[in-house]
């Protein structure tokens, strides 16, 4: 592309406006740009007569994690996943736990490089079963995420999107047609919270969840970070769980995770474990069958239980699996009841390890 560097690629989610600006249409933010301007996400910008992605083949770092860290408890349990993100985000959450990446306005943050084929080959060599687009939202680096997902599938691996779900329908269809699993961050269950604290819209996220669960084969789990005094009331938790049960079904796993003071909400205390246990009880009482707690030590809240006979099927301690009683085909070994999710043989034994890795610089010809 004339005038652009090797990490810049064209996109197709944009439209020309009558006033000469170009509107990015990848998400409801609808940034309207003049030549040289960047969107709120920072990594999508106008270049000439189109919107381009400026972080293609660049990452803020790569790491091999347990897949449960995404968190995904019903997707290839115990297996390693190659995780990476880029920079920027299309939300502006005041409580962001990865703000140094998602809120970065410095391209120097993107110190690691890898083209899609190299990334997939590395994941395969390291024994990973999947790759995950995480740390910041794959919505903003959609083109890079799609190419990496396709390369992963060619290598026999799965692709995972960890996202806030704030994306327009056409881009959503394109992105998730290349994904095998997703964890969607449902940040709260009021429009007021989304508008004032995340600067986004709850309705869009709910649309994404309904789309994934009812119109795709993408395995979907949900995470809600509970922030004391902001989204942790009994009434709000009950409303969220009732909506999930009615609109998505009781078998969609829900994770309640603990907030720690960060970014622009350092004055808010960390979430006590009792709040997570209370939320889990509300969710179970609402009829949800697979509800988990995260970022705390809580074996009971991290155990997968058979809905048929009550057997403890997958007993976890943080990211370590201590017991696994699911057949290779995804059934309870005691009563044969189906366990919803994606299972491919016995559980992996990666455990809680976290392994940062370096990947060789990309070959421009692969782009």
């Amino acid at each position: 592309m004339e005038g652009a560097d090797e990490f810049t690629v064209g996109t197709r989610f944009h439209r020309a406006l009558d006033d000469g600006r170009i509107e990015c249409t990848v998400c409801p933010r609808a940034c309207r740009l003049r030549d040289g301007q960047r969107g709120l996400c920072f990594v999508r910008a106008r270049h000439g007569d189109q919107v381009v992605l400026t972080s293609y083949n660049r990452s803020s770092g790569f790491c091999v994690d347990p897949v449960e860290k995404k968190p995904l408890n019903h997707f290839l349990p115990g297996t390693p996943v190659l995780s990476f993100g880029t920079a920027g985000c299309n939300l502006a959450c005041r409580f962001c736990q990865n703000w140094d990446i998602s809120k970065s306005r410095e391209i120097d943050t993107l110190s690691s490089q890898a083209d899609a084929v190299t990334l997939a080959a590395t994941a395969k060599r390291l024994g990973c079963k999947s790759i995950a687009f995480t740390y910041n939202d794959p919505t903003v680096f959609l083109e890079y995420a799609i190419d990496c997902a396709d390369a992963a599938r060619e290598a026999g691996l799965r692709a995972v999107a960890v996202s806030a779900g704030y994306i327009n329908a056409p881009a959503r269809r394109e992105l998730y047609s290349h994904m095998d699993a997703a964890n969607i961050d449902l940040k709260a269950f009021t429009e007021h919270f989304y508008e004032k604290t995340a600067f986004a819209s709850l309705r869009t996220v709910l649309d994404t969840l309904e789309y994934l669960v009812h119109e795709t084969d993408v395995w979907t789990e949900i995470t809600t970070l509970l922030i004391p005094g902001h989204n942790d009331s009994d009434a709000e938790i009950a409303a969220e769980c009732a909506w999930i049960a009615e609109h998505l079904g009781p078998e969609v796993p829900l994770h309640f995770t603990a907030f720690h003071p960060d970014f622009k909400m350092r004055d808010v205390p960390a979430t006590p474990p009792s709040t997570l246990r209370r939320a889990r009880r509300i969710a179970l009482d609402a009829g949800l069958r697979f509800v988990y707690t995260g970022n705390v030590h809580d074996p009971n809240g991290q155990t997968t239980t058979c809905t048929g006979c009550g057997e403890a099927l997958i007993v976890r301690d943080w990211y370590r699996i201590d017991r696994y009683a699911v057949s290779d085909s995804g059934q309870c070994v005691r009563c044969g009841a189906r366990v919803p999710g994606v299972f491919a043989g016995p559980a992996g034994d990666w455990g809680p390890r976290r392994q940062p890795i370096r990947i060789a610089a990309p070959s421009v010809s692969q782009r």
Side-chain angles (χ1 to χ4, degrees):
M1 181 184 303
E2 184 179 354
D5 63 32
E6 61 183 301
F7 303 112
T8 299
V9 297
T11 74
R12 66 182 181 86
F13 293 104
H14 56 82
R15 67 187 185 96
L17 301 177
D18 292 340
D19 64 3
R21 293 180 297 174
I22 293 181
E23 182 179 273
C24 179
T25 60
V26 77
C27 84
R29 191 71 57 193
C31 295
R32 298 179 174 187
L33 309 173
R34 299 197 183 278
D35 199 18
Q37 288 185 320
R38 292 176 179 267
L40 179 137
C41 69
F42 184 68
V43 295
R44 303 180 84 84
R46 178 173 173 179
H47 182 84
D49 61 356
Q50 65 177 317
V51 172
V52 298
L53 172 65
T54 63
S55 59
Y56 191 90
N57 279 358
R58 302 194 74 180
S59 171
S60 53
F62 304 92
C63 192
V64 179
D65 291 317
V67 72
E68 286 80 8
K69 193 175 177 64
K70 297 307 96 190
L72 289 170
N73 280 359
H74 292 238
F75 184 80
L76 306 178
T79 62
V81 53
L82 178 59
S83 302
F84 74 97
T86 60
C89 185
N90 62 331
L91 271 69
C93 302
R94 297 177 57 243
F95 54 90
C96 184
Q97 311 279 279
N98 289 321
W99 65 269
D100 53 332
I101 295 172
S102 66
K103 293 299 142 197
S104 174
R105 293 295 184 268
E106 298 293 334
I107 285 295
D108 288 345
T109 299
L110 303 176
S111 57
S112 299
Q113 304 175 17
D115 63 78
V117 173
T118 300
L119 183 65
T122 301
K124 186 85 168 180
R125 175 175 56 80
L126 293 172
C128 296
K129 301 301 181 184
S130 57
I131 61 174
F133 314 107
T134 181
Y135 308 139
N136 69 319
D137 202 304
T139 295
V140 305
F141 61 97
L142 178 146
E143 293 77 13
Y144 184 29
I146 285 173
D147 288 351
C148 290
D150 289 348
R153 285 180 168 181
E154 286 290 324
L157 308 177
R158 314 286 181 95
V160 176
V162 181
S163 171
Y166 194 58
I167 185 170
N168 285 335
R172 181 172 61 207
R173 287 192 297 271
E174 178 66 19
L175 176 62
Y176 288 102
S177 68
H178 300 263
M179 299 297 148
D180 299 289
N183 186 291
I184 300 299
D185 189 5
L186 181 54
K187 297 181 181 294
F189 205 70
T190 66
E191 284 290 359
H192 181 268
F193 180 99
Y194 265 88
E195 291 172 2
K196 300 300 182 181
T197 308
F199 303 98
S201 165
L202 170 63
R203 182 66 257 171
T204 298
V205 181
L206 299 183
D207 289 345
T208 294
L209 283 167
E210 291 189 282
Y211 171 76
L212 288 173
V213 171
H214 297 304
E215 299 184 43
T216 77
D217 294 324
V218 177
W219 175 253
T220 303
E221 303 190 22
I222 301 169
T223 296
T224 297
L225 181 78
L226 292 178
I227 305 173
H230 290 265
N231 66 348
D232 65 339
S233 70
D234 285 5
E236 183 169 342
I237 293 168
E240 174 181 328
C241 296
W243 184 90
I244 291 171
E246 178 181 355
H247 292 267
L248 305 181
E251 293 190 336
V252 174
L254 172 61
H255 303 256
F256 290 113
T257 58
F259 163 87
H260 64 262
D262 216 334
F263 198 39
K264 296 181 180 180
M265 293 183 70
R266 296 180 185 272
D267 57 331
V268 178
T271 309
S274 59
T275 294
L276 302 185
R277 291 193 292 268
R278 170 172 57 85
R280 182 170 183 264
R281 174 46 52 197
I282 292 171
L284 292 172
D285 288 346
L288 302 187
R289 296 172 183 168
F290 302 100
V291 187
Y292 301 101
T293 58
N295 296 346
V296 295
H297 179 73
D298 181 18
N300 287 336
Q302 292 156 6
T303 292
T304 299
T305 302
C306 177
T307 58
C309 66
E311 181 81 358
L313 297 177
I314 308 176
V315 178
R316 304 176 182 86
D317 187 357
W318 287 81
Y319 307 119
R320 186 181 74 241
I321 292 178
D322 292 330
R323 182 173 190 267
Y324 189 80
V326 179
S327 72
D328 291 358
S329 58
Q331 295 173 295
C332 171
V333 298
R334 180 178 177 183
C335 72
R338 180 184 66 87
V339 184
V342 177
F343 304 91
D349 59 358
W350 180 256
R353 288 173 290 167
R354 194 162 196 261
Q355 177 183 322
I357 61 171
R358 294 184 63 84
I359 298 179
S363 166
V364 176
S365 64
Q366 295 290 349
R367 294 175 52 229

